[in-house]
Amino acid sequence: MKPEVQYGFYLDTTKCTGCKTCHVACKDRMVGSQRGQGEGGKDEGAKGISAMKGVLWRRVYEYGGGEWKTNEDGTFEQDVFAYYMSIGCNHCNEPACVKYCPTGAMHKRKEDGLVHVNQELCIGCESCACACPYDAPQLDPERKVMTKCDGCFERLAVGRQPICVESCPLRALDFDTMDKLQAKYGKGDGHIAPLPSPEITKPNLIIKANRHGRPVKESIGICYGEPWPVGSEPKLNLVEGSILNPAEV
């Protein structure tokens, strides 16, 4: 099913300072919208970023690496690097979350290409989370249903940008139809770590690469792709680069 229009994100990693304003703004908005579906009604609102601890719809990662050495004369040489990456759902053209959802709860909307969850159909099996290389679907531990970035569709309907875009103090994020984003920014510089290869799900994401940008990671999800051996933990590679700050809140 080809959507009538396709929305997507632009990220300028040369501007992102890792302040996590987008991360926190998204968390407050989403906690409010998810809790509004419960007994408290639509006006219950957000309860602060501590609510739904560990559930994140946008994450800001610090990616760094490199090494340094001491010369015989006591001077130092180094190629240490670090940059930041704001990651959410990229509303992919070939979303793995939709492919592996057993109930059809995860779906791509025809009118705008946004990937949404029908929580009435969701059984909380987390198959979508296992398949997504961007860690976009998140389980609400209380209601036992999946949640995810919905593109702030209700804000789009009244002519506003997603809250992550509006909140960014450096204007590192943008959101629009892919046609308009490409007309404004071109096709970008290609994806960089810690993003996976764009060939996996065809994400609607344009990246302006940091000058220290490292190659993408060939991961296709935690469960289905098995990017590291079952039962083991990913190891830091401080020379080639690794995520240095696991997301929190």
Side-chain angles (χ1 to χ4, degrees), residues 41-57:
K42 293 183 178 180
D43 297 326
E44 184 175 353
K47 294 183 177 179
I49 61 173
S50 62
M52 298 177 74
K53 185 176 181 180
V55 180
L56 301 169
W57 300 276

Side-chain angles (χ1 to χ4, degrees), residues 103-181:
T103 67
M106 196 70 68
H107 62 284
K108 193 169 176 68
R109 300 193 344 157
K110 182 179 181 180
E111 61 267 36
D112 51 24
L114 299 177
V115 177
H116 278 206
V117 188
N118 183 338
Q119 295 183 344
E120 293 183 358
L121 297 178
C122 180
I123 58 175
C125 68
E126 298 188 77
S127 295
C128 55
C130 288
C132 176
Y134 301 99
D135 197 27
Q138 302 280 307
L139 177 69
D140 181 333
E142 294 182 15
R143 296 185 297 132
K144 306 300 182 186
V145 294
M146 302 308 295
T147 62
K148 66 179 296 299
C149 161
D150 56 16
C152 286
F153 68 100
E154 85 288 2
R155 294 170 65 88
L156 295 182
V158 294
R160 299 190 66 179
Q161 289 274 50
I163 198 165
C164 59
V165 176
E166 285 195 359
S167 68
C168 178
L170 275 298
R171 300 297 182 257
L173 284 166
D174 201 356
F175 185 85
D176 210 328
T177 65
M178 290 303 292
D179 288 343
K180 290 182 179 179
L181 289 179

Side-chain angles (χ1 to χ4, degrees), residues 63-67 79-83 192-194 212-217 235-244:
Y63 194 84
E67 57 187 342
D79 60 0
V80 175
F81 68 91
Y83 56 89
I192 56 177
H212 297 299
R214 291 309 196 257
V216 298
K217 301 296 185 181
K235 301 296 191 298
L236 288 176
N237 184 331
L238 295 180
V239 176
E240 295 182 8
S242 294
I243 294 174
L244 302 179

Side-chain angles (χ1 to χ4, degrees), residues 2-121:
K2 185 176 181 180
E4 296 172 3
V5 296
Q6 177 63 63
Y7 278 87
F9 284 100
Y10 167 79
L11 171 63
D12 184 344
T13 65
T14 70
K15 291 182 177 180
C16 182
T17 63
C19 70
K20 298 191 178 182
T21 304
C22 60
H23 165 130
V24 174
C26 174
K27 182 71 183 273
D28 262 351
R29 178 249 172 192
M30 286 292 283
V31 168
S33 66
Q34 297 302 318
R35 286 293 178 261
Q37 296 178 23
E39 295 179 357
K42 293 183 178 180
D43 297 326
E44 184 175 353
K47 294 183 177 179
I49 61 173
S50 62
M52 298 177 74
K53 185 176 181 180
V55 180
L56 301 169
W57 300 276
R58 179 162 287 276
R59 295 161 302 284
V60 179
Y61 291 125
E62 180 181 3
Y63 194 84
E67 57 187 342
W68 61 273
K69 65 179 181 179
T70 306
N71 297 321
E72 292 182 359
D73 62 359
T75 61
F76 298 90
E77 293 183 22
Q78 58 86 19
D79 60 0
V80 175
F81 68 91
Y83 56 89
Y84 296 94
M85 178 76 70
S86 179
I87 302 174
C89 177
N90 299 307
H91 304 284
C92 306
N93 289 335
E94 299 177 9
C97 59
V98 173
K99 179 180 179 181
Y100 285 104
C101 177
T103 67
M106 196 70 68
H107 62 284
K108 193 169 176 68
R109 300 193 344 157
K110 182 179 181 180
E111 61 267 36
D112 51 24
L114 299 177
V115 177
H116 278 206
V117 188
N118 183 338
Q119 295 183 344
E120 293 183 358
L121 297 178

